[in-house]
Amino acid sequence: MLAGKNITVGVTGGIAVFKTAQLVSSLKAGGAGLQVIMTRSAQEFVRPLTFQVLSGNPVRTDLFEADRGSVQHIELAAWPDLIVIAPATANILGKAAAGIGDDLLSTVIMAATCPVLFCPAMNVNMYNNAVVQRNIATLRDLGYKFIEPGTGRLACGAEGQGRLADLDQIIEEIEGLLILRKDMVGLTVMVTAGPTVEPIDPVRYLTNRSSGKMGYAVAGAAAARGAKTLLISGPTALKPPCGIELINVETAAQMYNAVIDRFANVDMVVKTAAVADYRPKEAVAQKIKKHNGPMSLELVRNHDILAELGKRKNKQILVGFAAETNDLERNSLRKAQDKNLDLLVANDINQAGAGFGSDTNIVKFVYRGGDIKQMPLMDKKELAHRILDEALAVRRKKQ
Ligand code: PMT
């Protein structure tokens, strides 16, 4: 996702520095070119060698490095597509807001023309201090980007807001800022994700193995590309992507209502959710007691939400998914035709690295006309963008 992008990570002196090491490692694994600048305080927590090894480049620490003939801070400010300050202490926020450049990092921030993303992390009282909040507001007004710190137990023992935001969230924001294709501005996209759960009694339910990762990736990608994004999600353990509207549902019937209510006002639907085809005929109010011998459960059909959308669609681009264990192409083509889809994303869930729960997927793009395109194994986040690329291409052809 980050191949060809250059990121400078500015590290200031807070205990969350150890998390920045993981961040740098993940950005490197994502293909980004990396430079790390550490302040003097940051080096009190972690030695530059750690970041040198993780970034694959010497770490910059000194504004007046003796053996460099060039104007270092100007060169360093011109190189990246994005500067990320993590953790960002109250001190660096204050210096940036006041226009103070008294070390390498603060001068690079001042000389930069690319976006700068601050990820504050500090004690809760420091974070809530009126001066710090004023500095954040000033920087936001000037166009600097922020990821709010998380809330919880802090390293100093206090409880409250001040923890460095989750790395997944930071990486998602970085990817969003670096994706130059804001090619979905003006579009409204509805994504469904996760499993549905169908109650049997107050204790038990029927569900499936969907984690929501594929659908959340599609929603995050659509929002990053500028679409107004509605995410209708069954129960998952995932943090919702930034910038989307989340509608939580549990049962297939609730998902049906949520989707149908909004369908007329959207331009594109991506139906990634694994929706239960059947539900127990009745969800009984009391816990079912065991008794000797077998028991049976009568199931009744749920609405096929996607088929219903296929009947109702006019301007909308409809993207369905299929999870198959056999006859992938034949079954998927039949689904694409029966449900009147513009595109069907088919996964053979027998393959390692594909389908439920994994961070990756292997899919075929199946078109109603019969064309089939095989995609290689890829991260669900990258695949999400490919799916949107295909859906936009179909939309352009139809216009
Ligand atoms: O969530 P993850 O762990 O990341 O896993 C991703 C995934 C495997 C769930 C995803 O890639 C996927 O394949 N989703 C569709 C799973 C599925 O339910 O397939 P299906 O072949 O049963 O359904 C076909 C399509 O009809 C799907 O778009 C589904 O949303 C839709 N459907 C199905 C039944 C129903 N009652 N209503 C529907 O709208």
Side-chain angles (χ1 to χ4, degrees), residues 126-154:
M126 288 176 79
Y127 185 67
N128 289 331
N129 181 291
V131 178
V132 173
Q133 287 302 316
R134 187 195 61 196
N135 290 337
I136 290 175
T138 302
L139 289 167
R140 278 189 194 275
D141 283 350
L142 293 170
Y144 290 92
K145 309 286 180 199
F146 276 83
I147 294 201
E148 297 230 333
T151 300
R153 190 172 158 74
L154 308 179

Side-chain angles (χ1 to χ4, degrees), residues 210-212 214 271-273 303 306 321 335 339 347 357 380:
S210 171
S211 64
M214 189 68 246
K271 268 217 95 279
T272 320
H303 285 296
L306 192 53
F321 271 71
K335 274 182 192 167
K339 300 190 185 194
N347 17 215
K380 283 180 176 167

Side-chain angles (χ1 to χ4, degrees), residues 35 73 162-163 174 330 352 371:
Q35 293 270 6
H73 61 291
R163 298 157 64 119
I174 289 171
R330 196 155 53 86
D371 287 350

